[in-house]
Amino acid sequence: MNLHSHFISSLQGVLTVPGDKSISHRAAILGGLAQGVTEVDNFLCSEDCLNTLRAMEQLGATVEVLEEREGYGPVRFRITGVAMKPAAPERPIDCGNSGTGMRLLAGMLAACPFDSEMFGDASLSSRPMGRIMQPLEQMGARIEARGAKPGCAPLFIRGGRVHPISYTLPMASAQVKSAILLAAMFADGVTTVRQPAITRDHTERLFRHFSVPCTVDGLTVSTQGPALPAAHDLTVPADISSAAFWMVAAASRPGSRLTLRQVGLNKTRNAVISALKRMGARMDIATTSPEDAGEPYGDITVYGSDSLHGTSLLPEEIPNLIDEIPILAVAGALGQGDFIVRNARELRVKETDRIATTAANLRLMGADVEEFDDGMVVHGGATLKGAELPSYGDHRIAMSFLVAGFSAQGDTVLADAECINTSYPGFERDLAQFL
Ligand code: S3P
C-alpha cells in the first residue's frame, strides 16, 4: 500500500495518538502472569502488541475485548492471569515484527517448566538475540537461536528453574533489562541489573503497580523472587514516540498550533521534548494528575516556527529518544545548521538499520547527510523535494517521511506503508485530516 503526503501550510487542532507500545507489551505480559483480573484501557491494538497478547493467551491467560473504537480496533481488554503458572504453548509463538515482544517473552519463557519456540518476520529474524540469551543462560535457561543468521530467531527455549543473578548490561537496553527482571520473578532470591545509562523504566513502574518488589538505586534495578503479581487495572497513556511525528510536523510548519492529548511523559522517554526545544520548537506541557499505573502523562501543545535549527543529541539522551531519531533527523533537515547524532550504534539493529534508512530517504528528498558507524550529521537548510520513498518495512521510517512530505515541494509517495500498523493503527486517518 502506498500513502501520499504533500506540502501543507500549517497543522491546527487536537489529536489523541494511540496507547504506548512499550507499556502495552508489559501490561499484556504482567496482566497475563498475574493472579486475578486486570482491565487494560487504551491498550495499543497494533500488530506488535496484539501478538504479545495472543502469546499470553497461548500460555493460558484469558483475554476478552471490552471495547472497540470505530475505525481503529479493540482498546479495552480484560485479562485473566495464570497466577505465575503459564501453560505450555501448543504451537510456536509468533512475535511478528516485535523485538520487545520476543525479548520480553523470552525472559518469562526461560523460567517456565516447558520448551517453547518463538519466531518473527524477516526483520525480527535478523535482530540480535544473544543479548538476552547470555543473561538468561546465566540464570540457568537453555536457549538456542536457530535462525539463518547466527544469534537470531527462531528461538528454542528449554525453560526451567532459574536462579537469581547480578548482571551488568553491556548496552543500554530496556528490553534486555526487562527480560532479566521477568525471569527473576520466577527465581528464588534477589536479581540485580546494572545499566550503563538510564533506560525506559516501564517494567519497574508496572512491577510496583502489580505489587512485585522492585527497587531502583541510580542505574541499578533489583527485584526479589519468587513473586506473584497482583492484578491491577490500568490505563495506558498515549505513546510519546507516536506523538513525536506530530510534534515535528507542527513545530516545523509556521503558524501551526496542535495539541496532543494525554501523552506519556515518563522522564525516561521524554528527551524528544527537550531535544526539540533545543532545536527552537515552542511547546507547552500541561501535566495531568494523578499519574496512572505510576506513569505521568499530560497534554502537549506545539506551536509552529520558521526558525528551527540543529542540535547535538547528548550521549545520555540517546537511549531515552532512540526511537525518535528518524523523525528528529527530519526536523534537523528542515532546520538550519547541523543536527548531530553520535553514540547511537543501536540504531543499526532496530526494525531496520535506521542510520542507513533515515540517511537514504533524507538524501532522496535532497538533504545532505553524513553517515557514521554510530550516527549521522544532517546538514540542514536544503529545500526538501517530494519523492517516491521506500519504507524498508519500518513503521517509524514510513511515518517520519510522510511528515517530511508536509514541508517538501511536490508530492511524496511512501511505498509499503502497511508496516505502520506495527505501532500506529489509525495513522492514515490522522494523516488525512491534515492533507
Ligand atoms: C523498548 C526498548 C527500546 C526501544 C524499543 C522498545 C522497550 O529498545 O527501541 O522500541 O519497550 O523496552 P532497546 O531496549 O533494545 O534499546
Side-chain angles (χ1 to χ4, degrees):
M1 173 184 77
N2 288 346
L3 282 183
H4 296 251
S5 86
H6 56 71
F7 182 87
I8 57 170
S9 62
S10 68
L11 291 85
Q12 311 290 336
V14 178
L15 196 61
T16 308
V17 302
D20 187 275
K21 180 157 79 71
S22 292
I23 300 174
S24 296
H25 278 296
R26 288 155 170 85
I29 295 174
L30 281 167
L33 282 176
Q35 180 165 50
V37 178
T38 297
E39 286 188 13
V40 186
D41 202 1
N42 203 36
F43 186 89
L44 172 62
C45 60
S46 71
E47 278 164 21
D48 271 14
C49 299
L50 290 176
N51 276 328
T52 296
L53 207 48
R54 280 185 215 115
M56 294 312 296
E57 278 187 297
Q58 278 181 259
L59 297 164
T62 310
V63 177
E64 294 161 74
V65 176
L66 297 180
E67 189 188 328
E68 293 249 356
R69 201 171 293 156
E70 215 193 305
Y72 174 67
V75 286
R76 199 150 68 85
F77 290 92
R78 180 185 289 135
I79 306 173
T80 307
V82 297
M84 290 298 275
K85 292 199 167 33
E90 281 169 12
R91 299 177 310 283
I93 292 170
D94 183 357
C95 297
N97 187 245
S98 179
T100 309
M102 183 171 279
R103 294 187 178 120
L104 268 55
L105 288 167
M108 177 193 69
L109 292 169
C112 292
F114 47 74
D115 295 350
S116 53
E117 182 185 343
M118 281 190 292
F119 66 97
D121 67 8
S123 154
L124 183 53
S125 306
S126 70
R127 296 180 65 187
M129 291 296 146
R131 54 180 63 196
I132 50 143
M133 289 162 62
Q134 244 172 23
L136 295 174
E137 281 170 353
Q138 260 189 44
M139 294 178 90
R142 273 184 292 157
I143 306 181
E144 246 183 83
R146 293 198 189 155
K149 190 169 160 192
C152 293
L155 296 184
F156 286 76
I157 302 182
R158 180 139 296 170
R161 242 185 132 68
V162 289
H163 49 79
I165 54 167
S166 185
Y167 192 76
T168 300
L169 297 178
M171 74 291 288
S173 167
Q175 293 178 359
V176 180
K177 170 179 69 178
S178 302
I180 300 168
L181 292 174
L182 287 165
M185 286 173 59
F186 294 83
D188 194 356
V190 176
T191 289
T192 300
V193 185
R194 258 174 254 100
Q195 318 172 75
I198 298 283
T199 65
R200 63 191 68 193
D201 65 357
H202 305 301
T203 302
E204 295 88 311
R205 289 175 195 246
L206 271 192
F207 265 26
R208 287 188 213 108
H209 186 72
F210 282 86
S211 307
V212 174
C214 184
T215 55
V216 180
D217 179 9
L219 295 169
T220 304
V221 183
S222 305
T223 188
Q224 160 100 50
L228 180 58
H232 198 167
D233 297 349
L234 67 132
T235 301
V236 178
D239 197 324
I240 191 166
S241 300
S242 299
F245 301 109
W246 305 114
M247 288 183 213
V248 171
S252 55
R253 299 304 322 137
S256 297
R257 185 183 198 279
L258 181 68
T259 298
L260 298 156
R261 298 209 53 241
Q262 307 292 282
V263 180
L265 294 170
N266 180 319
K267 64 181 188 307
T268 65
R269 292 282 301 283
N270 64 5
V272 60
I273 295 175
S274 18
L276 278 171
K277 283 187 172 169
R278 284 206 307 281
M279 297 175 82
R282 285 196 302 132
M283 297 188 203
D284 288 337
I285 317 285
T287 45
T288 309
S289 58
E291 300 182 346
D292 199 295
E295 294 282 353
Y297 61 101
D299 292 352
I300 303 174
T301 300
V302 189
Y303 304 91
S305 140
D306 56 5
S307 56
L308 288 189
H309 50 80
T311 188
S312 273
L313 298 181
L314 310 172
E316 63 275 17
E317 280 178 332
I318 298 293
N320 188 310
L321 48 62
I322 190 85
D323 293 338
E324 289 76 73
I325 290 176
I327 188 64
L328 284 171
V330 167
L334 296 174
Q336 297 298 319
D338 287 351
F339 172 76
I340 303 166
V341 186
R342 300 306 298 259
N343 304 290
R345 197 171 277 105
E346 278 293 305
L347 281 176
R348 297 221 180 256
V349 290
K350 295 297 178 189
E351 285 82 333
T352 57
D353 173 345
R354 286 186 177 153
I355 295 176
T357 50
T358 302
N361 276 6
L362 280 174
R363 287 185 187 122
L364 285 170
M365 296 187 89
D368 181 11
V369 189
E370 262 179 277
E371 239 187 85
F372 303 99
D373 191 34
D374 69 341
M376 67 187 117
V377 176
V378 182
H379 303 293
T383 305
L384 296 190
K385 51 183 190 329
E388 287 185 19
L389 301 171
S391 71
Y392 309 94
D394 185 332
H395 53 128
R396 297 201 197 281
I397 297 295
M399 290 184 275
S400 297
F401 284 91
L402 285 162
V403 166
F406 289 167
S407 297
Q409 288 173 348
D411 287 345
T412 293
V413 183
L414 201 292
D416 301 320
E418 303 74 13
C419 56
I420 290 173
N421 283 328
T422 291
S423 67
Y424 196 151
F427 181 83
E428 186 177 354
R429 197 190 44 197
D430 289 347
L431 177 75
Q433 84 179 67
F434 298 114
L435 291 174

